[in-house]
Amino acid sequence: MKRGSKLGFAVVLVATLGALAAGCVASQGGGAAGSAAQKVYVKPGEKDAYYAFLSGGHHGNIYVYGMPSCRHITTIPVFTPEPAVGYGNDEESKAMLGGFTWGDAHHPGLSETDGDYDGRWLFINDMPNARIARIDLKDFKTKQIFGPIPNISAAHACPFPTPNTEYVFAASRFSVPVPNRDVKVEDYAKDFRGIVAGVKVDPKTGTMSLGFEIMMPPFDWDLSDAGKGPSLGWQFFTCYNSEMAYDSLEIKASQNEMDYFAAVDWRAAQKAVDEGKATMINGAPVLDPAKVKGIAYLIPVPKSPHGVDVDPSGQYVCCSGKLQAEVSVYSFAKIKAAIDAAKFEGEKMGVPTLKFEDCLEAKVPVGLGPLHTQFDNKGNGYTSLFLDSQIAKWKVGPPWNVEDKIDVYYSIGHLMASEGDTRHPTGDYVVALDKLSKDRYLNVGPTHPEAAQLIDLRGPKMELLYDFPTYLEPHYAQMIKAEKLHPITVYPLAENDKPGVIKRAEDARVERKGNRVDVYGLVVRTHFTPDVIKVNEGDEVYFHWTNLEQDDDIAHGFGILWSSKNMQIEPGETKTIHWTADKTGIRPFYCSNFCSALHQEMQGYLEVRPRGTPQAAVQRPDAKTIAEINALLAAR
Ligand code: RUQ
Ligand code: CUA
């Protein structure tokens, strides 16, 4: 007994020390001591030091993870309906999706102030349909989907916000005729064009609107990053296929020694549009660089580049040539000097080309298949190597040498460093976003999960801490300090002025005009008011449910049997859903989100009578029900 309790004490002590060490790492990202297990351990009840936002790829949404625990916290529906919460089902989100039920989301972009993540919004692109979504980080909800942006054929280089979130960008991955029209694919080089678009972001509301478009040569515009510090005001875009091939790209688009990256002066472009120098094409103001000078330049990059990444100081632009074993680092000062001296080599469809030697600062021999680079707070860059399945750590600045390499499993695409796209990366972690997971997880059949790996950057050598699977298919991701976000936990009822809102049982009613029926209702533990609703077959019914709860985590659902209609209504929120009364008979509805001990009792009936059955213009709950609901509300 005595021995047992001593042993017990020792176990508790060890566990406590371990937890303390882990807690310290998690909350401060400070010491790098301890085992890998301790470094990712976040004690039950404690929270992670970072939020990580991983794009959902062709799942069309965003996954939210906590770092360093690598716990999946939630998924934010963005471009794809999410029936569980009713995203794409309620009227507002349905309208926002604009008829699309799919998106391919690649690059999350956190809003920035002075070049640091400010925790206000998160932008993400839908590549194929050239759309950009804005998620409000106050409630983690998609608030706007902008696009399809006219004339853009697949926005891959998108959105990559500027340091004060003045703009997000989109550039054509494929080229098409602009305006799109009846042409032959064989006339690609003559008739096709790429487009770079600057999308303005309202500094107060985050609302996006089109600022300008620039007609570019029909290359495949690939990735982008914003200038900062000395390069503030410029946006960079890589391209491949400067060969202008329209078929067998894997061969024909790899012929040239050099492709390009474009440097776009977005202030000059906006000024030109404001001065009326654009031509309207499909409702977009398009600038032609052959006529409007000083808005875009091309700089040669070896071998089909992919990522372009600006270092935290804003002095260097780092391009990864996929088919080359080097990162080409350009000096922005040199680029600017060449532009100012008009030292051009030639031009491509009106866009002046600079000389490679005039702009290059260094070549870093990172290894095979470099794709993307991230940075830490100690002057290092980290480049993902797709072919080598490694990350290379290298010195940003002389002697530009590779300092360390770590194996990843397998075939890394993007990588995400903590606050990695800002002027002040924290240097704590990098997450490898691997394209293949092969044998790393329990086999679930031919579709393997995607693989992500947390790597510690705090020691002299990179250290692999943890593997975690993700669902299809994170491309890029961003990681922000948790302390920067302060999401609300309920929608303040007092501020709810949504159409259809009611706040008192006395206002609950069913209104009929012709065959349109509007239900103004309340949900609260554990009752729908009204819970018996009389309609006729053929009625178009709009349910406006307001959740009167003001307690954390008390959401109610509204699901109608034998239908696809379901949604979730969060505390203080009003949502509207449309349902056609398709069949005479009794149709139950219920709360689909577990909310209380009497959740199972939270239900109601739709009485659907034959067409033409006389119905009151207004149905109201009786006085007794109103009194009961009021008593319920008062007791809360
Ligand atoms: S991409 S693996 Cu869609 Cu950003 Cu580089
Ligand atoms: Cu309300 Cu379950």
Side-chain angles (χ1 to χ4, degrees), residues 512-517 538-541:
R512 157 181 302 279
K513 283 195 192 86
N515 74 335
R516 174 172 172 135
V517 176
D539 282 353
E540 302 298 340
V541 189

Side-chain angles (χ1 to χ4, degrees), residues 106-107 156 223 306 371-372 413-414 435 475:
H106 281 235
H107 305 115
H156 189 261
L223 275 149
H306 187 55
L371 292 183
H372 298 280
H414 275 276
K435 296 298 183 193
H475 289 251

Side-chain angles (χ1 to χ4, degrees), residues 1-137:
M1 189 69 212
K2 233 179 163 185
R3 249 186 94 211
S5 63
K6 236 183 186 169
L7 200 73
F9 176 72
V11 168
V12 168
L13 184 70
V14 168
T16 309
L17 287 175
L20 278 177
C24 160
V25 167
S27 56
Q28 296 157 16
S35 70
Q38 284 170 332
K39 288 183 193 175
V40 298
Y41 184 70
V42 177
K43 213 166 49 164
E46 289 194 352
K47 290 174 188 165
D48 280 291
Y50 290 94
Y51 285 95
F53 296 97
L54 279 61
S55 77
H58 46 302
H59 196 210
N61 46 26
I62 286 180
Y63 308 121
V64 184
Y65 281 77
M67 295 289 150
S69 74
C70 305
R71 292 180 293 192
H72 176 216
I73 303 172
T74 194
T75 297
I76 308 172
V78 184
F79 297 113
T80 305
E82 174 57 273
V85 294
Y87 186 79
N89 237 348
D90 72 85
E91 290 298 283
E92 204 177 343
S93 58
K94 191 168 73 183
M96 205 163 51
L97 287 178
F100 293 99
T101 57
W102 175 67
D104 190 354
H106 281 235
H107 305 115
L110 288 157
S111 59
E112 296 179 15
T113 299
D114 289 334
D116 286 314
Y117 301 149
D118 59 21
R120 294 200 292 165
W121 308 304
L122 177 64
F123 298 88
I124 189 158
N125 62 326
D126 163 24
M127 179 181 66
N129 301 310
R131 296 182 295 168
I132 307 177
R134 186 186 77 256
I135 290 113
D136 194 332
L137 294 176

Side-chain angles (χ1 to χ4, degrees), residues 524-526 555-557 591-596 599-600 602:
V524 68
R525 277 163 291 176
T526 326
H556 295 286
C591 173
S592 53
N593 195 71
F594 203 105
C595 53
S596 71
H599 156 78
Q600 203 73 348
M602 191 166 173

